[in-house]
Amino acid sequence: MSGCPSRGLINKLSYMKPYTNYCDHCAVLYDRVLRKYGIEMYEKDFSKVNDCKCVLRFCNQFLKPEKIKVENLIKIIKNEKVIDFIKTLNKDSSLGVYEFDDKYVVKVIEYETKEEENETYELHKNHFDIHILISGEEKILLADKLSEEFGTFDEFNDGGLFKCEKTTEICYSENEAVIIPPLALHMAGYTLKNKQKIKKAIIKIKNKKEI
């Protein structure tokens, strides 16, 4: 909000100094009211409340990550070049970053899976992430809520790491993909059964509304 009328009136009072945490009531009230509709707060910034400005960001928790067959994934991707690229993915595909336009970027990577620990979770505000397993198997950990400590978010790269508690997981293997929508807390790279080296492609789609 820019130009909060409530804080503006208090700032004009000459006989009192505004209470330091006065604006915290908005975060408490809005979050409490909207939570029952599946809408939860994921970011707050009261650093400019003296100028009657604040940031409260909410997300619809009904939009959840999901597993999908690669053959079905290509039916919903809207870029033909990206579809053709997905069809060519195999164990011999070269590692690297492939840019198709200002909306689609594909990263082909390899790494060794790891055991679960108290890890940080990743979040994007404006990107879909689609993880496609080329070889091996892994699980992606998911969390529904941020911890009380908000992490640092990189607006330019649209990413942030946050401390959370795991609520569920998605296990997937070759020829399967996991769609991670914007605002979904996730962390990939975990061992499903046996620790192993996997190869995967991650499609980053710069659009908050559609794939």
Side-chain angles (χ1 to χ4, degrees):
M1 175 179 286
S2 178
C4 172
S6 177
R7 183 58 190 250
L9 289 173
I10 293 177
N11 285 353
K12 291 178 181 179
L13 297 178
S14 59
Y15 57 86
M16 66 175 288
K17 182 180 179 180
Y19 174 54
T20 304
N21 297 322
Y22 169 78
C23 295
D24 282 357
H25 73 276
C26 286
V28 174
L29 291 175
Y30 284 126
D31 192 42
R32 188 173 295 171
V33 171
L34 295 174
R35 188 179 293 271
K36 62 183 178 181
Y37 299 107
I39 300 173
E40 297 187 6
M41 183 174 64
Y42 69 90
E43 183 179 349
K44 63 179 178 180
D45 182 357
F46 292 150
S47 61
K48 297 181 180 180
V49 292
N50 290 335
D51 298 324
C52 305
K53 298 178 180 179
C54 71
V55 174
L56 295 176
R57 290 195 170 99
F58 296 82
C59 62
N60 188 340
Q61 292 298 312
F62 294 131
L63 190 61
K64 300 290 186 181
E66 63 176 305
K67 180 167 67 174
I68 186 173
K69 292 286 187 182
V70 173
E71 61 190 61
N72 294 324
L73 173 66
I74 61 178
K75 297 176 183 178
I76 60 176
I77 295 288
K78 300 183 183 297
N79 186 299
E80 290 297 329
K81 291 183 179 179
V82 175
I83 292 173
D84 291 340
F85 184 80
I86 293 173
K87 291 178 179 179
T88 67
L89 290 173
N90 59 68
K91 296 178 181 179
D92 297 321
S93 294
S94 299
L95 305 181
V97 179
Y98 302 84
E99 297 188 18
F100 292 89
D101 54 32
D102 60 354
K103 181 178 177 181
Y104 293 89
V105 176
V106 182
K107 298 180 180 180
V108 179
I109 60 176
E110 284 182 339
Y111 57 75
E112 192 170 85
T113 57
K114 58 185 178 180
E115 299 297 330
E116 289 186 39
E117 297 178 353
N118 293 324
E119 297 283 352
T120 52
Y121 284 67
E122 187 177 0
L123 178 144
H124 310 291
K125 295 179 183 176
N126 300 299
H127 281 72
F128 278 88
D129 271 4
I130 301 179
H131 297 243
I132 301 174
L133 263 182
I134 300 171
S135 64
E137 58 184 12
E138 72 167 348
K139 61 183 174 182
I140 297 177
L141 306 186
L142 305 171
D144 287 337
K145 299 177 182 178
L146 300 174
S147 65
E148 293 182 2
E149 293 290 331
F150 285 95
T152 300
F153 194 87
D154 185 340
E155 296 285 353
F156 181 79
N157 292 306
D158 190 41
L161 296 176
F162 302 86
K163 282 286 186 181
C164 308
E165 290 188 8
K166 168 189 166 183
T167 53
T168 187
E169 63 189 34
I170 293 180
C171 303
Y172 70 126
S173 54
E174 295 178 20
N175 298 316
E176 292 182 325
V178 176
I179 300 174
I180 307 291
L183 308 177
L185 291 156
H186 65 283
M187 185 55 69
Y190 293 96
T191 300
L192 181 54
K193 295 178 182 177
N194 302 307
K195 201 171 184 179
Q196 59 184 276
K197 187 175 183 179
I198 67 170
K199 189 170 192 175
K200 68 191 291 187
I202 303 176
I203 305 174
K204 302 187 78 66
I205 304 175
K206 302 176 183 179
N207 189 316
K208 190 172 181 178
K209 297 180 180 179
E210 64 179 8
I211 293 178

Coordinates of all heavy atoms in Angstrom, one line a residue, residues 128-177:
F128 N 7.1 -20.3 -13.3 CA 6.9 -21.7 -13.2 C 8.2 -22.5 -13.3 O 9.0 -22.1 -14.2 CB 5.9 -22.2 -14.3 CG 4.5 -22.0 -14.1 CD1 3.9 -20.8 -14.4 CD2 3.7 -23.0 -13.5 CE1 2.5 -20.6 -14.2 CE2 2.3 -22.8 -13.3 CZ 1.7 -21.6 -13.7
D129 N 8.5 -23.4 -12.5 CA 9.6 -24.4 -12.7 C 9.0 -25.7 -13.1 O 8.1 -26.2 -12.4 CB 10.4 -24.5 -11.4 CG 11.5 -23.5 -11.2 OD1 11.6 -22.6 -12.1 OD2 12.2 -23.6 -10.3
I130 N 9.6 -26.3 -14.1 CA 9.1 -27.7 -14.5 C 10.4 -28.5 -14.5 O 11.3 -28.3 -15.3 CB 8.5 -27.7 -15.9 CG1 7.2 -26.8 -15.9 CG2 8.1 -29.1 -16.2 CD1 6.5 -26.7 -17.2
H131 N 10.4 -29.5 -13.6 CA 11.5 -30.4 -13.5 C 11.3 -31.7 -14.2 O 10.3 -32.4 -14.0 CB 11.8 -30.8 -12.0 CG 12.2 -29.6 -11.1 ND1 13.4 -29.5 -10.5 CD2 11.5 -28.5 -10.8 CE1 13.4 -28.4 -9.8 NE2 12.3 -27.7 -10.0
I132 N 12.1 -32.0 -15.2 CA 12.0 -33.2 -16.0 C 13.1 -34.2 -15.8 O 14.3 -33.8 -16.0 CB 11.9 -32.9 -17.5 CG1 10.8 -31.9 -17.8 CG2 11.8 -34.1 -18.4 CD1 10.7 -31.4 -19.3
L133 N 12.9 -35.4 -15.3 CA 13.9 -36.3 -15.1 C 14.3 -37.1 -16.3 O 13.5 -37.7 -16.9 CB 13.5 -37.3 -14.0 CG 14.0 -37.0 -12.6 CD1 13.6 -38.0 -11.6 CD2 15.5 -36.8 -12.5
I134 N 15.6 -36.9 -16.7 CA 16.1 -37.6 -17.9 C 16.6 -39.0 -17.5 O 16.4 -40.0 -18.2 CB 17.2 -36.8 -18.6 CG1 16.6 -35.4 -19.0 CG2 17.7 -37.5 -19.8 CD1 17.7 -34.4 -19.4
S135 N 17.2 -39.1 -16.4 CA 17.7 -40.4 -15.9 C 17.7 -40.4 -14.4 O 18.0 -39.3 -13.7 CB 19.1 -40.7 -16.4 OG 20.1 -39.8 -16.0
G136 N 17.4 -41.5 -13.8 CA 17.4 -41.6 -12.3 C 16.1 -41.3 -11.7 O 15.0 -41.3 -12.4
E137 N 16.1 -41.1 -10.4 CA 14.9 -40.8 -9.7 C 15.2 -39.9 -8.5 O 16.3 -40.0 -7.9 CB 14.2 -42.1 -9.2 CG 15.0 -42.9 -8.3 CD 14.3 -44.3 -7.9 OE1 13.3 -44.6 -8.5 OE2 14.8 -44.9 -7.0
E138 N 14.3 -39.1 -8.0 CA 14.5 -38.2 -6.9 C 13.2 -37.8 -6.3 O 12.1 -38.1 -6.8 CB 15.3 -37.0 -7.3 CG 14.5 -36.0 -8.1 CD 15.1 -34.6 -8.2 OE1 16.1 -34.3 -7.5 OE2 14.7 -33.8 -9.1
K139 N 13.3 -37.1 -5.1 CA 12.0 -36.6 -4.6 C 12.2 -35.1 -4.3 O 13.4 -34.6 -4.0 CB 11.6 -37.3 -3.3 CG 12.6 -37.3 -2.2 CD 12.1 -38.1 -1.0 CE 13.1 -38.3 0.1 NZ 12.6 -39.1 1.2
I140 N 11.2 -34.4 -4.5 CA 11.1 -32.9 -4.2 C 10.4 -32.7 -2.9 O 9.2 -33.1 -2.8 CB 10.5 -32.2 -5.4 CG1 11.3 -32.4 -6.7 CG2 10.4 -30.7 -5.1 CD1 10.8 -31.7 -7.9
L141 N 11.0 -32.0 -2.0 CA 10.3 -31.7 -0.7 C 9.5 -30.4 -0.9 O 9.9 -29.5 -1.6 CB 11.3 -31.5 0.4 CG 12.3 -32.6 0.6 CD1 13.2 -32.4 1.8 CD2 11.6 -34.0 0.7
L142 N 8.3 -30.4 -0.3 CA 7.4 -29.3 -0.4 C 7.0 -28.8 1.0 O 6.9 -29.6 2.0 CB 6.1 -29.7 -1.1 CG 6.3 -30.2 -2.5 CD1 5.0 -30.8 -3.1 CD2 6.9 -29.2 -3.5
A143 N 6.8 -27.5 1.1 CA 6.3 -26.9 2.4 C 5.1 -26.0 2.1 O 5.1 -25.4 1.0 CB 7.4 -26.1 3.1
D144 N 4.2 -25.9 3.1 CA 3.1 -25.0 2.9 C 3.2 -23.6 3.5 O 2.6 -22.7 3.0 CB 1.8 -25.7 3.5 CG 1.3 -26.8 2.7 OD1 1.6 -26.9 1.5 OD2 0.6 -27.7 3.3
K145 N 4.1 -23.5 4.5 CA 4.2 -22.3 5.2 C 5.6 -21.9 5.5 O 6.5 -22.7 5.7 CB 3.4 -22.4 6.6 CG 2.0 -22.7 6.5 CD 1.3 -22.8 7.9 CE -0.1 -23.2 7.7 NZ -0.7 -23.4 9.1
L146 N 5.8 -20.6 5.4 CA 7.1 -20.0 5.8 C 7.3 -20.1 7.3 O 6.3 -20.1 8.0 CB 7.2 -18.6 5.3 CG 7.1 -18.3 3.8 CD1 7.1 -16.8 3.5 CD2 8.2 -18.9 3.0
S147 N 8.5 -20.1 7.7 CA 8.8 -20.0 9.1 C 8.5 -18.5 9.5 O 8.3 -17.6 8.7 CB 10.2 -20.4 9.5 OG 11.1 -19.5 8.8
E148 N 8.7 -18.2 10.8 CA 8.5 -16.8 11.2 C 9.5 -15.9 10.7 O 9.3 -14.7 10.5 CB 8.5 -16.8 12.8 CG 7.3 -17.5 13.4 CD 7.3 -17.4 14.9 OE1 8.2 -16.7 15.4 OE2 6.4 -17.9 15.5
E149 N 10.7 -16.5 10.4 CA 11.8 -15.6 9.8 C 11.7 -15.6 8.3 O 11.8 -16.6 7.7 CB 13.1 -16.3 10.2 CG 13.5 -16.2 11.7 CD 13.8 -14.8 12.2 OE1 14.2 -14.0 11.3 OE2 13.5 -14.4 13.3
F150 N 11.4 -14.4 7.8 CA 11.3 -14.3 6.3 C 12.7 -14.2 5.7 O 13.6 -13.5 6.2 CB 10.6 -13.0 5.9 CG 9.1 -13.1 6.2 CD1 8.5 -12.7 7.3 CD2 8.3 -13.7 5.2 CE1 7.1 -12.8 7.5 CE2 6.9 -13.8 5.4 CZ 6.3 -13.4 6.6
G151 N 12.9 -15.0 4.7 CA 14.3 -14.9 4.0 C 14.4 -13.7 3.2 O 13.6 -12.9 3.0
T152 N 15.6 -13.6 2.6 CA 15.9 -12.5 1.6 C 15.5 -12.9 0.2 O 15.9 -14.0 -0.3 CB 17.4 -12.2 1.7 OG1 17.8 -11.8 3.0 CG2 17.7 -11.0 0.7
F153 N 14.7 -12.1 -0.4 CA 14.2 -12.4 -1.8 C 14.9 -11.6 -2.8 O 15.1 -10.4 -2.6 CB 12.7 -12.2 -1.9 CG 12.1 -12.8 -3.1 CD1 11.7 -14.1 -3.1 CD2 12.0 -12.1 -4.3 CE1 11.2 -14.7 -4.2 CE2 11.5 -12.7 -5.4 CZ 11.0 -14.0 -5.4
D154 N 15.4 -12.2 -3.8 CA 16.1 -11.5 -4.9 C 15.1 -11.2 -6.0 O 14.7 -12.1 -6.8 CB 17.2 -12.4 -5.5 CG 18.1 -11.8 -6.5 OD1 17.6 -10.8 -7.1 OD2 19.2 -12.2 -6.8
E155 N 14.6 -10.0 -6.0 CA 13.6 -9.6 -7.0 C 14.1 -9.7 -8.4 O 13.3 -10.1 -9.3 CB 13.2 -8.1 -6.7 CG 12.5 -7.9 -5.4 CD 11.1 -8.5 -5.3 OE1 10.6 -8.9 -6.4 OE2 10.5 -8.4 -4.2
F156 N 15.4 -9.4 -8.7 CA 15.9 -9.4 -10.1 C 15.9 -10.8 -10.6 O 15.5 -11.1 -11.8 CB 17.3 -8.8 -10.1 CG 17.9 -8.8 -11.5 CD1 17.5 -7.8 -12.4 CD2 18.8 -9.8 -11.9 CE1 18.1 -7.8 -13.6 CE2 19.3 -9.7 -13.1 CZ 19.0 -8.7 -14.0
N157 N 16.3 -11.8 -9.8 CA 16.4 -13.2 -10.3 C 15.2 -14.0 -9.9 O 15.1 -15.2 -10.2 CB 17.6 -13.9 -9.7 CG 18.9 -13.3 -10.3 OD1 19.1 -13.2 -11.5 ND2 19.8 -12.8 -9.4
D158 N 14.2 -13.3 -9.3 CA 13.0 -14.0 -8.9 C 13.2 -15.3 -8.1 O 12.7 -16.3 -8.5 CB 12.1 -14.2 -10.1 CG 10.7 -14.7 -9.7 OD1 10.1 -14.1 -8.8 OD2 10.1 -15.6 -10.3
G159 N 13.9 -15.1 -7.0 CA 14.1 -16.3 -6.2 C 14.5 -16.0 -4.8 O 15.1 -14.9 -4.5
G160 N 14.1 -16.8 -3.8 CA 14.5 -16.6 -2.4 C 14.6 -18.0 -1.7 O 13.9 -19.0 -2.1
L161 N 15.4 -18.0 -0.7 CA 15.5 -19.2 0.2 C 14.9 -19.0 1.5 O 15.2 -17.9 2.1 CB 16.9 -19.7 0.3 CG 17.6 -20.1 -1.0 CD1 19.1 -20.4 -0.8 CD2 16.9 -21.3 -1.7
F162 N 14.1 -19.9 2.0 CA 13.4 -19.7 3.3 C 13.5 -21.0 4.1 O 13.4 -22.1 3.6 CB 11.9 -19.4 3.0 CG 11.7 -18.2 2.2 CD1 11.7 -18.3 0.8 CD2 11.5 -17.0 2.8 CE1 11.5 -17.2 0.0 CE2 11.3 -15.8 2.0 CZ 11.3 -15.9 0.6
K163 N 13.6 -20.8 5.4 CA 13.5 -21.9 6.4 C 12.1 -22.4 6.6 O 11.2 -21.5 6.9 CB 14.1 -21.5 7.7 CG 15.6 -21.5 7.7 CD 16.2 -22.9 7.7 CE 17.7 -22.9 7.9 NZ 18.3 -24.2 7.9
C164 N 11.8 -23.6 6.3 CA 10.4 -24.1 6.5 C 10.4 -25.6 7.0 O 11.5 -26.2 7.1 CB 9.7 -24.2 5.1 SG 9.8 -22.7 4.2
E165 N 9.3 -26.0 7.4 CA 9.1 -27.4 7.7 C 8.4 -28.2 6.6 O 7.4 -27.7 6.1 CB 8.3 -27.5 9.0 CG 9.0 -27.0 10.3 CD 8.3 -27.3 11.5 OE1 7.3 -28.1 11.5 OE2 8.7 -26.8 12.6
K166 N 9.0 -29.3 6.3 CA 8.4 -30.1 5.2 C 7.0 -30.6 5.6 O 6.7 -31.0 6.7 CB 9.3 -31.4 5.0 CG 8.7 -32.5 4.1 CD 9.5 -33.7 4.1 CE 8.8 -34.9 3.6 NZ 9.6 -36.1 3.7
T167 N 6.1 -30.5 4.6 CA 4.7 -31.0 4.8 C 4.4 -32.2 3.9 O 3.5 -33.0 4.2 CB 3.7 -29.8 4.5 OG1 4.0 -29.3 3.2 CG2 3.9 -28.7 5.5
T168 N 5.1 -32.2 2.7 CA 4.8 -33.4 1.8 C 6.0 -33.5 0.9 O 6.9 -32.7 0.9 CB 3.5 -33.2 1.1 OG1 3.2 -34.4 0.4 CG2 3.5 -32.1 0.1
E169 N 5.9 -34.4 -0.1 CA 6.9 -34.6 -1.0 C 6.3 -35.2 -2.3 O 5.3 -35.8 -2.3 CB 8.0 -35.6 -0.5 CG 7.5 -37.0 -0.2 CD 8.5 -37.8 0.5 OE1 9.3 -37.3 1.4 OE2 8.5 -39.1 0.3
I170 N 7.1 -35.1 -3.4 CA 6.7 -35.7 -4.7 C 7.9 -36.5 -5.2 O 9.0 -36.0 -5.3 CB 6.3 -34.6 -5.7 CG1 5.1 -33.9 -5.4 CG2 6.2 -35.3 -7.1 CD1 4.7 -32.8 -6.4
C171 N 7.6 -37.8 -5.4 CA 8.6 -38.7 -5.9 C 8.4 -38.9 -7.4 O 7.3 -39.1 -7.8 CB 8.6 -40.0 -5.2 SG 8.8 -39.9 -3.4
Y172 N 9.4 -38.8 -8.2 CA 9.3 -39.0 -9.6 C 10.5 -39.6 -10.2 O 11.6 -39.6 -9.6 CB 8.9 -37.7 -10.3 CG 9.9 -36.7 -10.4 CD1 10.2 -36.1 -11.7 CD2 10.6 -36.2 -9.3 CE1 11.2 -35.1 -11.8 CE2 11.5 -35.2 -9.4 CZ 11.8 -34.6 -10.6 OH 12.8 -33.7 -10.7
S173 N 10.4 -40.2 -11.5 CA 11.5 -40.9 -12.1 C 11.5 -40.5 -13.6 O 10.8 -39.6 -14.1 CB 11.4 -42.4 -11.9 OG 10.1 -42.8 -12.3
E174 N 12.3 -41.3 -14.4 CA 12.4 -41.0 -15.8 C 11.1 -40.9 -16.5 O 10.2 -41.6 -16.2 CB 13.3 -42.1 -16.4 CG 14.7 -42.2 -15.9 CD 15.5 -43.3 -16.5 OE1 15.1 -43.8 -17.6 OE2 16.5 -43.7 -15.9
N175 N 11.1 -39.9 -17.5 CA 9.9 -39.7 -18.3 C 8.7 -39.1 -17.5 O 7.6 -39.1 -18.0 CB 9.4 -40.9 -19.0 CG 10.5 -41.5 -20.0 OD1 11.1 -40.7 -20.7 ND2 10.7 -42.8 -20.0
E176 N 9.0 -38.6 -16.3 CA 8.1 -37.9 -15.5 C 8.6 -36.4 -15.3 O 9.8 -36.2 -15.3 CB 7.8 -38.6 -14.2 CG 7.1 -39.9 -14.4 CD 6.7 -40.6 -13.1 OE1 7.5 -40.5 -12.1 OE2 5.7 -41.3 -13.0
A177 N 7.6 -35.5 -15.0 CA 8.0 -34.2 -14.7 C 7.2 -33.7 -13.5 O 6.1 -34.2 -13.2 CB 7.7 -33.3 -15.9

